Amino acid sequence: MDFSEYSIETLRSRLSNGEARARFVVESSLDSAEKLNETLNAFLQIDRAGALARADEIDSSKNLRNAPLAGVPVAIKDNICVRGLQASCGSRILGPYHPPYSATAIERLQKAGAVIIGKTNCDEFAMGSSNENSAFGAVKNPWDTARVPGGSSGGSAAAVAAGIVPAALGSETGGSVRQPASLCGIVGFKPTYGRISRYGLVAFASSLDQIGIFGRKVSDIASVLGIVAGRDTHDATTADVPVPDYVGELAGDIKGARIGFPRELFGEGLDDEVRAAVLKTIEAYRELGAEIVEVELPHAKYCIAVYYIIATAEASSNLARYDGVRYGFRAEEAKDLKHMYRATRDEGFGAEVKRRIMLGTYVLSSGYYDAYYRKAQQVRTLIKHDFLRAFETCDAVLTPTTPTTAFLIGEKTDDPLAMYLNDIYTCTANLAGIPGINVPCALSSEGLPIGFQLLGAHWSEPTLFRLADAYERAHPFEARPRVHVASASE
Amino acid sequence: MKNGWETIIGLEIHAQLSTESKIFCGCSTRFGDEPNSNTCPVCLGLPGALPVLNRRAVELGARAALALGLHINERSVFARKNYFYPDLPKGYQISQYDQPFSERGELEIMTAERDEAGHARVWKPKVVQITRLHLEEDAGKNVHEGLPDVDRYSYVDLNRAGTPLAEIVTEPDFRSSWEAYDYVNHVRRALQWVGASEADMEKGNLRCEANVSVRKIGDTNFGTKVELKNLNSVRFMQHAIEYEIERQINALESGGRVVQETRLWDERAGETRIMRSKEEAHDYRYFPEPDLPPLVVTRDFIEGVRATMPELPEARRRRFMDQYALSYSDASQLTSERSLADYYERAAEAARNARAAANWIRTDLLRELEASGTPVEKCPIPPEEIGALIRLIEEGKISGKQGKDVLSEMFRTGKPAAKIVEEQGMVQVSDAGAIDPIIDEIISANPKQVEQFRAGKESLFGFFVGQVMKASQGKANPKVVNERLKEKLKV
């Protein structure tokens, strides 16, 4: 039996009516992961023993079997702590680090019966848009293994796109879930800031970071979000906002819904094929009964500059703890403390991480703080206000997710600025703290997926899901990548 | 101090707030446990762990701020202070920077210059401007001694990491080392008094740093300041400041200059030594802590804390002077600790003689407490019994001298005064019929002195009183002895 096309809902009904056993589902997921990993390099650790033991536990316990995600295999980005598994964050500096505790989102997933099959590859400390910054090699795009899957959550995106798992967790700081989802032809979602606990998510830029969810279907995202969302006493930035029944709110038509169209985001720098495909989705919404309203986001053009100041500033501080003193990698034969710090961080961090630590250190330095960090925070507020104003006249803003389709491995590695521009449509949501979702909508002439994104007001996840789900049902994205469980088993 | 020079001192105090658990996690703040036993992912700075503010630390911070007359901000912001050190697990300290918990305090302290022997001359009030009191976490401790291979390794104990601190910063308001000394003592007592901190410098839960500079009297610009660290007691701090003033003046008078730097006090050598220069000073790259929302305290919260504050020491001293007619020095001593002031008030009420209660506590009781190293809270004599003892004396049941013995016995055994008096048959003899025979005996045993007295040497009267009291084993009522002696010695 091939589960790779099943939604979580279908999988759950097969499991609960006894047609399938958790062990069988999990084992086939593990088999695919091991087999496809040679091609994709999507997993840094596959936990066969742990996952099978958990699957058996589920099969043998009636209570567990009825849990909402019982027996559903999931993959977790390697910057989210799972007790018993590694957490390398794609970096050498964490060495063989195994966290002694699990992230809150992981505890909630596990309590709901989800089975973690492994930890996925990512850009080092989630810094990157192509997955080429992983210390453990780039992840390959299942649609074309010469191309990047996007980043930084490229491993999780590839695992879902290839049909290994129906859902995976990634993390977003500037688009690290939506961008790879777009490049891999799957659904990728970043929640409102404070919706999912960050406790146990290794910090990159704390005021922007959120755990995000990959799935093949909008409904899969809704199923997982319902489990992991909500206030956490371990994370003071989670909000005490009730968690609605996201799945239950999916159905229903969207007549009268207002889709915001920010014309200025469809101009220069956007690939023609992507533009055409995304404009077509606007027409599709009109056909579904939605009203299209023009909105203005005058400060959105500053988002990359603002993002790379705030994100690097916070990163320079968040990554200070990797100093070789308590855990992870420590450079050998240091002569004194300062030398130990320098050698450890020099050998342990990759080039992009060092670049960002230096940028961040610079913008926080005495004499530069006001010119960079403070100003960036002020512009961040303006960007947020742009969105709040836009949401007075529309229910969601529709934009491209990425300027281009998946690019070639190595194509942009020598040009960090070109690489940074990959986040141009996504990082506004992180700066504004609003939710966003990528929905695949077309294939390019080269056969590469194109996605569009919907951005909603804070806590508007139900609306966002309903809009995305309506499009998905009307225009199902049925193409499958070349590297896929189904084709591998043929 | 040398003529023509003025000293400018500002102080920073770090006081550990007396919470059970750390400021951003649930780990115990207990002192002296197995190294690294009171730790968790949060205070170890493990990847992915996040801080959550301890409300109790905020309450105690509020008590401290109110005790020092500070204005509490309804909204304050935590900030990261970034620097590398092995005892700092996250590579930054969570502190507060441009929006502190409380600021703008005006604190009246009593201060006095000291004579050569260190005795206070005249106590006078002084108003100190406190810039701010903010909340922050403590770092851990590096250990370089007493463990294997210390020649090659240093060790880190993170039990203390994350302990809540209140940092209290003053304006450069002190003009002498003694003013600084009196201020720190005032703050210590105030923090202990309101239960915000144990404020014990020996245990390290109160630490202070001084910024010292000198300038010619009449100059309006400040001189270059030097930061003094490693001031492990108030006394050491006073020594260090004194040394530093001298060092700076000598440097300037001999044509040199003062360099902005941080210096460490070495009490044994009696000198300060350079720790780091201005060039080596850190750029802490403060920025708002994104893991913690702004700290918002409501007016109701602040008023709630204020409502549970005890009467503050200065107010209580003034009340003791008014209500009980005590001298400044009596009232000051009795309000040096809150427990002592409470003890005194209960004793005074029971004695129905506030001044007598003050005298007995200040002299006899405090001597017993000090000699045995007993804190007031553990005093074996309940304050009501001090009152009972005073009443026994005032009612003439026992003499004052007997009273001293009774007090010692009460302290030793914890028995009530009346019981000791009864057990030891210590009833005062006021009956002339019982005293006269003793007087007669003394007169006949000392004919020479009697002769001299009658010849006009009146100073001998005290000798006779003493002899009679001694012969009565202290039981005779001195008043009656006096009257009868005068009568009998008259010829």
Side-chain angles (χ1 to χ4, degrees):
Chain A
M1 209 185 314
D2 173 17
F3 305 102
S4 64
E5 295 296 319
Y6 285 6
S7 69
I8 289 178
E9 223 177 332
T10 318
L11 190 56
R12 278 296 304 138
S13 70
R14 296 285 187 283
L15 283 160
S16 60
N17 70 15
E19 275 180 59
R21 289 171 65 77
R23 176 162 185 113
F24 189 70
V25 173
V26 169
E27 196 160 28
S28 61
S29 176
L30 288 162
D31 290 346
S32 316
E34 281 170 358
K35 193 164 161 195
L36 297 183
N37 210 36
E38 292 163 22
T39 318
L40 297 176
N41 195 29
F43 285 85
L44 295 176
Q45 184 183 20
I46 296 171
D47 182 27
R48 178 172 283 274
L52 289 180
R54 183 64 176 160
D56 288 344
E57 230 180 302
I58 289 162
D59 283 331
S60 60
S61 153
K62 198 169 173 202
N63 265 344
L64 261 177
R65 223 160 45 226
N66 290 326
L69 295 178
V72 176
V74 294
I76 307 295
K77 188 178 183 181
D78 205 30
N79 65 347
I80 300 172
C81 294
V82 179
R83 194 188 170 126
L85 302 186
Q86 68 167 45
S88 76
C89 301
S91 181
R92 221 183 301 281
I93 206 160
L94 273 157
Y97 180 70
H98 281 64
Y101 74 104
S102 285
T104 300
I106 296 301
E107 287 196 340
R108 291 180 180 178
L109 273 183
Q110 289 179 325
K111 195 167 159 237
V115 178
I116 292 164
I117 65 152
K119 302 297 292 291
T120 56
N121 202 350
C122 57
D123 283 300
E124 184 175 5
F125 286 106
M127 296 178 185
S129 308
S130 69
N131 233 291
E132 292 163 288
N133 296 334
S134 168
F136 307 103
V139 176
K140 312 293 180 354
N141 190 317
W143 294 82
D144 176 354
T145 53
R147 292 176 186 272
V148 304
S152 63
S153 315
S156 287
V160 172
I164 297 168
V165 283
L169 294 190
S171 72
E172 268 235 11
T173 306
S176 283
V177 168
R178 286 165 291 155
Q179 187 256 12
S182 174
L183 268 44
C184 289
I186 55 172
V187 184
F189 163 72
K190 173 237 175 261
T192 304
Y193 187 81
R195 180 76 290 185
I196 302 179
S197 168
R198 291 183 296 117
Y199 188 72
L201 165 65
V202 179
F204 159 12
S206 314
S207 75
L208 302 162
D209 293 343
Q210 272 290 291
I211 286 175
I213 304 166
F214 292 99
R216 278 188 299 272
K217 298 273 178 211
V218 174
S219 65
D220 295 342
I221 307 278
S223 300
V224 174
L225 182 64
I227 299 300
V228 298
R231 170 105 179 106
D232 176 17
T233 52
H234 286 111
D235 178 357
T237 64
T238 53
D240 203 1
V241 173
V243 178
D245 174 8
Y246 294 114
V247 177
E249 299 212 17
L250 278 183
D253 74 66
I254 59 162
K255 275 200 179 61
R258 296 159 307 163
I259 301 284
F261 170 51
R263 187 177 295 278
E264 68 256 53
L265 295 189
F266 287 76
E268 208 185 330
L270 179 61
D271 176 86
D272 289 339
E273 271 194 281
V274 175
R275 181 187 297 113
V278 177
L279 287 173
K280 235 176 119 185
T281 65
I282 292 182
E283 283 316 304
Y285 273 108
R286 207 192 299 276
E287 283 162 20
L288 286 169
E291 183 192 337
I292 310 300
V293 294
E294 293 228 8
V295 294
E296 283 182 6
L297 300 169
H299 300 95
K301 56 177 172 283
Y302 303 117
C303 76
I304 292 287
V306 169
Y307 173 78
Y308 276 94
I309 289 170
I310 292 171
T312 58
E314 293 181 11
S316 72
S317 174
N318 282 329
L319 271 59
R321 67 188 64 191
Y322 309 108
D323 58 5
V325 173
R326 294 164 308 282
Y327 47 78
F329 171 76
R330 176 190 293 173
E332 298 296 322
E333 301 183 4
K335 288 192 286 288
D336 56 29
L337 180 63
K338 240 179 203 172
H339 184 224
M340 191 281 282
Y341 282 151
R342 283 187 182 156
T344 296
R345 291 167 69 80
D346 185 44
E347 294 166 35
F349 287 134
E352 181 60 28
V353 170
K354 284 184 212 166
R355 176 165 26 243
R356 296 196 192 191
I357 289 174
M358 285 168 70
L359 266 173
T361 303
Y362 177 76
V363 300
L364 287 177
S365 296
S366 157
Y368 297 97
Y369 182 91
D370 287 343
Y372 294 107
Y373 188 78
R374 191 186 300 279
K375 183 153 283 176
Q377 288 291 11
Q378 288 164 344
V379 179
R380 178 183 187 172
T381 304
L382 294 176
I383 291 172
K384 185 174 163 185
H385 287 162
D386 280 359
F387 277 103
L388 295 182
R389 212 165 4 229
F391 293 130
E392 286 169 10
T393 60
C394 69
D395 300 307
V397 170
L398 192 154
T399 81
T401 307
T402 56
T404 65
T405 53
F407 46 93
L408 291 167
I409 291 173
E411 191 181 328
K412 297 185 182 181
T413 41
D414 293 334
D415 187 352
L417 284 181
M419 190 72 92
Y420 293 174
L421 286 174
N422 271 288
D423 298 332
I424 192 153
Y425 302 114
T426 47
C427 70
T428 48
N430 304 78
L431 291 167
I434 57 174
I437 189 166
N438 171 76
V439 182
C441 61
L443 283 184
S444 72
S445 52
E446 292 176 297
L448 297 171
I450 296 170
F452 71 94
Q453 73 170 339
L454 292 167
L455 303 173
H458 297 96
W459 317 110
S460 71
E461 279 86 353
T463 309
L464 218 51
F465 290 164
R466 192 156 51 238
L467 289 169
D469 178 65
Y471 177 88
E472 188 182 74
R473 275 184 289 117
H475 304 274
F477 184 78
E478 279 161 347
R480 287 294 166 258
R482 249 178 288 168
V483 182
H484 190 267
V485 170
S487 44
S489 57
E490 272 163 17
Chain B
M1 196 200 320
K2 294 201 177 177
N3 278 343
W5 292 94
E6 182 181 32
T7 309
I8 312 285
I9 303 160
L11 292 176
E12 279 176 29
I13 292 177
H14 287 91
Q16 178 182 333
L17 297 170
S18 306
T19 55
E20 295 284 314
S21 59
K22 295 183 179 180
I23 185 167
F24 297 124
C25 63
C27 291
S28 168
T29 53
R30 218 172 19 248
F31 182 78
D33 282 359
E34 184 76 7
N36 296 309
S37 59
N38 296 327
T39 56
C40 73
V42 177
C43 57
L44 288 173
L46 294 189
L50 296 170
V52 176
L53 182 60
N54 177 347
R55 294 302 298 185
R56 183 70 184 145
V58 179
E59 281 168 30
L60 293 181
R63 293 179 85 78
L66 294 176
L68 301 176
L70 284 136
H71 166 81
I72 295 175
N73 290 322
E74 287 180 51
R75 184 179 186 278
S76 64
V77 172
F78 285 96
R80 291 187 185 176
K81 179 178 180 178
N82 295 284
Y83 65 96
F84 286 92
Y85 206 59
D87 67 8
L88 189 69
K90 298 186 295 298
Y92 56 83
Q93 177 195 27
I94 304 178
S95 179
Q96 295 190 301
Y97 186 53
D98 53 0
Q99 297 176 71
F101 179 67
S102 61
E103 52 194 329
R104 301 193 308 279
E106 261 190 15
L107 184 67
E108 186 182 302
I109 64 164
M110 295 300 291
T111 185
E113 284 307 306
R114 308 311 204 262
D115 62 20
E116 297 289 307
H119 293 127
R121 288 189 172 117
V122 184
W123 289 96
K124 55 186 195 311
K126 176 184 173 70
V127 175
V128 178
Q129 303 293 328
I130 302 183
T131 318
R132 57 193 279 149
L133 176 153
H134 71 242
L135 305 175
E136 63 182 28
E137 60 177 341
D138 205 345
K141 213 162 53 182
N142 293 344
V143 183
H144 308 286
E145 286 166 356
L147 286 161
D149 298 321
V150 283
D151 53 328
R152 291 187 298 136
Y153 293 101
S154 288
Y155 294 78
V156 184
D157 176 7
L158 294 173
N159 278 353
R160 204 181 64 183
T163 298
L165 299 178
E167 179 176 328
I168 306 155
V169 184
T170 72
E171 293 296 300
D173 276 0
F174 307 101
R175 293 292 173 269
S176 75
S177 64
W178 289 113
E179 286 185 0
Y181 178 91
D182 291 327
Y183 165 77
V184 175
N185 278 331
H186 182 110
V187 170
R188 264 175 55 184
R189 183 179 56 161
L191 296 181
Q192 290 166 350
W193 191 276
V194 300
S197 173
E198 285 179 46
D200 183 339
M201 286 187 89
E202 269 71 51
K203 276 201 210 155
N205 48 32
L206 189 115
R207 302 194 287 271
C208 80
E209 287 158 26
N211 286 304
V212 179
S213 67
V214 297
R215 67 179 174 192
K216 283 267 188 200
I217 287 173
D219 278 1
T220 48
N221 291 332
F222 289 131
T224 306
K225 71 176 177 189
V226 167
E227 186 182 9
L228 300 182
K229 285 181 186 277
N230 198 37
L231 312 174
N232 294 328
S233 76
V234 198
R235 197 73 188 137
F236 288 5
M237 178 196 74
Q238 192 268 329
H239 293 164
I241 293 173
E242 218 36 61
Y243 171 89
E244 187 58 24
I245 294 169
E246 180 103 358
R247 188 189 71 83
Q248 292 186 15
I249 293 175
N250 286 342
L252 293 169
E253 284 191 339
S254 59
R257 60 190 192 97
V258 174
V259 181
Q260 187 175 338
E261 59 196 10
T262 302
R263 298 178 73 89
L264 293 180
W265 172 245
D266 181 339
E267 176 71 16
R268 215 175 313 166
E271 61 182 29
T272 62
R273 274 202 289 266
I274 183 158
M275 177 189 160
R276 63 168 173 252
S277 68
K278 189 193 175 192
E279 287 69 37
E280 296 165 285
H282 297 293
D283 177 354
Y284 290 119
R285 293 178 284 117
Y286 281 100
F287 74 102
E289 164 58 283
D291 287 333
L292 290 167
L295 169 55
V296 175
V297 294
T298 59
R299 275 288 123 201
D300 284 353
F301 170 83
I302 297 168
E303 292 316 313
V305 172
R306 202 191 300 279
T308 64
M309 294 276 283
E311 185 184 16
L312 292 174
E314 287 307 306
R316 203 161 186 184
R317 174 179 58 71
R318 275 193 287 270
R319 180 167 64 78
F320 279 14
M321 291 169 72
D322 293 345
Q323 185 177 338
Y324 303 127
L326 300 184
S327 68
Y328 174 78
S329 84
D330 281 4
S332 293
Q333 189 175 10
L334 290 171
T335 54
S336 62
E337 277 178 76
R338 189 171 150 197
S339 48
L340 179 60
D342 290 343
Y343 189 98
Y344 165 71
E345 288 212 88
R346 284 168 62 188
E349 195 189 335
R352 295 181 210 122
N353 182 338
R355 290 196 51 84
N359 289 336
W360 279 92
I361 290 172
R362 281 197 62 207
T363 52
D364 300 270
L365 184 66
L366 283 181
R367 191 190 314 117
E368 294 284 357
L369 289 169
E370 264 162 43
S372 60
T374 313
V376 180
E377 303 83 43
K378 300 230 171 84
C379 179
I381 307 177
E384 289 72 18
E385 278 305 308
I386 294 287
L389 173 67
I390 291 168
R391 285 211 310 280
L392 285 175
I393 296 163
E394 302 221 319
E395 287 161 9
K397 300 251 170 66
I398 57 171
S399 69
K401 186 171 176 304
Q402 285 174 315
K404 288 180 190 290
D405 297 336
V406 173
L407 187 134
S408 293
E409 193 63 12
M410 288 164 82
F411 194 84
R412 208 173 53 77
T413 62
K415 288 180 184 169
K419 180 142 181 115
I420 291 168
V421 166
E422 189 197 312
E423 278 176 4
Q424 307 205 350
M426 267 185 176
V427 176
Q428 180 166 268
V429 181
S430 304
D431 179 359
I435 292 172
D436 279 355
I438 303 173
I439 292 177
D440 292 342
E441 207 172 297
I442 295 297
I443 287 177
S444 54
N446 297 284
K448 209 171 149 199
Q449 283 83 351
V450 173
E451 196 180 318
Q452 287 172 352
F453 179 83
R454 286 179 174 156
K457 195 172 180 189
E458 287 184 13
S459 61
L460 276 172
F461 189 71
F463 162 79
F464 290 108
V465 174
Q467 290 298 309
V468 175
M469 290 305 291
K470 195 173 160 191
S472 77
Q473 291 165 313
K475 289 181 188 173
N477 182 335
K479 211 175 135 205
V480 180
V481 172
N482 267 302
E483 285 167 11
R484 298 305 304 153
L485 257 175
K486 273 184 196 152
E487 184 70 32
K488 292 207 176 249
L489 284 169
K490 248 199 274 174
V491 187

